[in-house]
């Protein structure tokens, strides 16, 4: 990354990374490199990296293809599921088009059934994710990771050695460390950058396929942010907001914009577009690579887990470390697991942490922008 570029230019490059990757994924495919399409942070990417495959997040955060999806799926279904299916059905997602394999996990009921229909368009392998972070659940998840590895070997006619996996673990851990260094710049008060720009980098980096290069690029960016901050920080002191809840990106970035256009600044993202996917490393010292992967990935605090203490542990830490003034939870319409868990999160934030909380229920349309701005503006004014 060229450090002579202004920070706004760098942020926009990351914002455009997903679009730029449309061409990159075709070039990868033309080289004969396998492409694996994924939807969820539970997929242990180290397995794909160990066999030399490219991993890409599939299109699922726009209402563009939802009308076509609703011809097959119920209209009162989570928009993420409808969008995922719609992009596959209409062939409007280049990442889906170039994928040799789609990997799903048994997270929510809607996704589980949707994966059955996806199998009509592409080969789909579904990993059986346990719904409890128990010892029995851990053993199930370890066996599923081994089954996934064996499936990849058979499908692509490759051998994935434990040494390959260890090397991939190191690569992914280094990427996580660098991204943590990035979002930890937001611990400063006032913050050095806007939360929208932080999100552009976090989200955009997932569409960079050369994982070994990411740490260097991110650390160069962190160095530039810090050096400019020391000279003159340009962001005024504002109420510090934590965003939690459903995955955000694409259309749901409207919530981030609403927060920051109405006087707040997003200092940290707990959801799987942020800290949830990066916070914990895989134990590189564990001689059992499958156990190490299983422990790290099963510890993700998603609302599909019952109970879900890991989410509260991460929220607890982030609220303290980032000096959070208020919490905004984003829940997609008809996302039952996050919607039901909302009352528990509200109680935790209000009663244990003594912080204000607001829940935002939304979808991928822009029809609620006015209401969104009104509610968030009132929330931030209260802070």
């Amino acid at each position: 990354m060229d450090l002579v570029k202004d920070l706004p230019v760098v942020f926009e490059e990351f914002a455009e990374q997903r679009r730029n990757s449309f061409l990159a994924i075709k070039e990868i495919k033309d080289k004969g490199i396998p492409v694996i399409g994924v939807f969820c942070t539970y997929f242990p990417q180290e397995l794909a990296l160990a066999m030399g495959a490219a991993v890409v997040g599939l299109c699922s955060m726009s209402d563009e293809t939802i009308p076509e999806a609703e011809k097959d799926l119920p209209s009162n279904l989570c928009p993420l599921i409808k969008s995922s299916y719609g992009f596959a059905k209409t062939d409007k997602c280049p990442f889906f088009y170039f994928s040799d394999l789609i990997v799903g996990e048994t997270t929510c009921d809607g996704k589980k059934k949707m994966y059955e229909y996806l199998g009509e368009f592409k080969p789909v392998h579904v990993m059986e994710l346990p719904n409890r972070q128990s010892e029995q659940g851990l053993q199930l998840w370890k066996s599923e990771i081994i089954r996934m590895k064996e499936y990849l070997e058979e499908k692509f006619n490759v051998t994935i050695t434990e040494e390959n996996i260890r090397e991939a673990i190191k690569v992914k851990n280094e990427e996580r460390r660098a991204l943590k260094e990035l979002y930890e710049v937001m611990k400063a008060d006032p913050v050095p950058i806007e939360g929208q720009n932080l999100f552009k980098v976090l989200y955009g980096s997932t569409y960079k396929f050369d994982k070994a290069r990411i740490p260097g690029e991110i650390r160069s960016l962190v160095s530039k942010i810090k050096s400019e901050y020391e000279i003159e920080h340009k962001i005024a002191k504002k109420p510090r907001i934590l965003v939690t809840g459903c995955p955000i990106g694409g259309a749901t970035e409207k919530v981030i914009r609403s927060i920051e256009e109405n006087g707040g600044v997003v200092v940290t993202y707990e959801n799987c577009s942020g800290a949830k996917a990066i916070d914990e490393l895989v134990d590189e010292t564990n001689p059992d690579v499958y156990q190490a992967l299983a422990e790290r990935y099963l510890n993700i605090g998603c609302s599909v887990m019952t109970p879900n203490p890991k989410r509260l542990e991460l929220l607890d830490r982030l609220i303290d470390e980032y000096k959070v003034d208020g919490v905004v939870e984003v829940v997609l319409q008809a996302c039952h697991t996050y919607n039901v868990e909302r009352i528990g999160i509200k109680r935790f934030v209000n009663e244990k942490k003594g912080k204000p909380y607001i829940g935002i229920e939304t979808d991928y349309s822009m029809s609620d922008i006015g209401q969104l701005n009104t509610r968030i503006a009132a929330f931030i004014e209260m802070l």
Side-chain angles (χ1 to χ4, degrees):
M1 185 177 292
D2 183 0
L3 277 184
V4 300
K5 294 178 181 176
D6 291 334
L7 280 177
V9 175
V10 178
F11 292 140
E12 286 310 309
E13 287 179 355
F14 272 96
E16 289 297 314
Q17 182 61 43
R18 178 177 171 275
R19 187 183 302 276
N20 296 339
S21 295
F22 292 162
L23 180 59
I25 201 71
K26 181 183 184 303
E27 292 172 350
I28 287 172
K29 183 79 172 193
D30 289 345
K31 292 176 183 176
I33 297 171
V35 177
I36 298 175
V38 300
F39 290 106
C40 184
T41 52
Y42 277 112
F43 173 65
Q45 293 193 18
E46 288 84 352
L47 294 181
L49 297 182
M51 61 168 274
V55 179
V56 63
L58 298 173
C59 309
S60 61
M61 295 189 177
S62 162
D63 63 355
E64 177 186 354
T65 62
I66 285 179
E68 189 62 35
E70 287 179 344
K71 293 179 181 178
D72 296 344
L73 302 178
S75 60
N76 61 344
L77 189 64
C78 164
L80 188 150
I81 298 172
K82 291 188 292 186
S83 179
S84 302
Y85 178 77
F87 273 108
K89 182 182 178 183
T90 59
D91 223 7
K92 288 185 176 180
C93 177
F95 300 134
F96 191 93
Y97 177 82
F98 287 114
S99 290
D100 298 291
L101 173 69
I102 308 300
V103 177
E105 302 83 15
T106 54
T107 48
C108 71
D109 291 340
K111 274 189 176 181
K112 286 190 289 188
K113 301 309 293 183
M114 186 266 290
Y115 290 142
E116 296 179 20
Y117 297 123
L118 279 191
E120 298 174 5
F121 309 114
K122 287 279 186 178
V124 175
H125 178 87
V126 178
M127 301 181 73
E128 188 174 341
L129 181 73
N131 58 20
R132 293 177 67 86
Q133 291 160 326
S134 61
E135 186 57 40
Q136 294 84 354
L138 180 62
Q139 293 313 306
L140 170 61
W141 191 230
K142 178 181 176 181
S143 70
E144 283 296 287
I145 289 174
I146 294 171
R147 186 171 72 92
M148 178 83 247
K149 173 252 187 189
E150 292 171 346
Y151 177 87
L152 292 173
E153 289 180 317
E154 181 179 354
K155 178 170 180 58
F156 294 102
N157 192 27
V158 295
T159 300
I160 302 174
T161 67
E162 292 190 9
E163 190 55 38
N164 294 148
I165 297 173
R166 285 192 185 91
E167 287 304 310
I169 287 172
K170 291 177 182 177
V171 169
K172 281 296 293 181
N173 273 350
E174 197 59 23
E175 178 190 3
R176 293 180 185 112
R177 290 187 186 101
L179 289 169
K180 284 182 73 172
E181 290 173 24
L182 170 68
Y183 69 67
E184 285 178 350
V185 304
M186 302 301 279
K187 290 181 179 180
D189 190 11
V191 294
I193 60 174
E194 292 180 332
Q196 295 178 70
N197 289 326
L198 171 66
F199 187 81
K200 288 173 183 176
V201 181
L202 292 175
Y203 188 59
S205 66
T206 64
Y207 290 97
K208 286 181 174 284
F209 303 121
D210 188 347
K211 299 302 181 183
R213 289 185 58 186
I214 292 176
E217 293 186 3
I218 296 298
R219 287 182 172 126
S220 294
L221 176 57
V222 171
S223 177
K224 186 167 180 62
I225 291 171
K226 288 181 176 179
S227 64
E228 290 201 3
Y229 186 74
E230 290 174 2
I231 297 169
E232 179 188 8
H233 63 77
K234 302 174 184 177
I235 309 296
K237 188 173 173 64
K238 300 175 182 179
R240 301 166 64 84
I241 305 299
L242 177 150
V243 171
T244 184
C246 289
I248 57 174
T252 45
E253 290 177 49
K254 62 186 176 182
V255 178
I256 307 171
R257 290 193 297 271
S258 181
I259 291 169
E260 302 204 321
E261 289 171 3
N262 285 287
V265 59
V266 181
V267 294
T268 185
Y269 300 90
E270 180 275 336
N271 42 24
C272 52
S273 314
K276 188 176 290 183
I278 304 165
D279 187 70
E280 188 169 334
L281 303 179
V282 179
D283 182 4
E284 297 179 20
T285 66
N286 191 332
D288 186 340
V289 293
Y290 305 108
Q291 182 76 11
L293 289 173
E295 289 174 353
R296 187 269 171 199
Y297 280 92
L298 193 61
N299 273 349
I300 295 173
C302 180
S303 64
V304 299
M305 292 294 160
T306 304
N308 186 18
K310 297 297 181 181
R311 184 182 180 195
L312 297 182
E313 290 172 14
L314 183 55
L315 274 173
D316 191 20
R317 198 153 41 81
L318 293 176
I319 288 172
D320 291 345
E321 292 179 2
Y322 290 81
K323 301 186 285 290
V324 168
D325 296 310
V327 172
V328 174
E329 180 162 25
V330 182
V331 176
L332 293 172
Q333 291 174 0
C335 179
H336 299 315
T337 56
Y338 271 103
N339 220 340
V340 172
E341 197 166 86
R342 239 165 54 164
I343 184 63
I345 298 301
K346 183 177 188 295
R347 287 171 179 164
F348 176 81
V349 172
N350 287 163
E351 297 170 13
K352 178 162 184 183
K353 304 306 294 181
K355 303 292 182 180
Y357 163 100
I358 185 173
I360 301 293
E361 188 170 356
T362 189
D363 59 12
Y364 293 152
S365 75
M366 295 296 120
S367 61
D368 62 347
I369 288 291
Q371 182 191 53
L372 198 62
N373 282 326
T374 299
R375 294 190 64 208
I376 287 179
F379 179 71
I380 292 172
E381 178 67 24
M382 176 191 69
L383 299 180

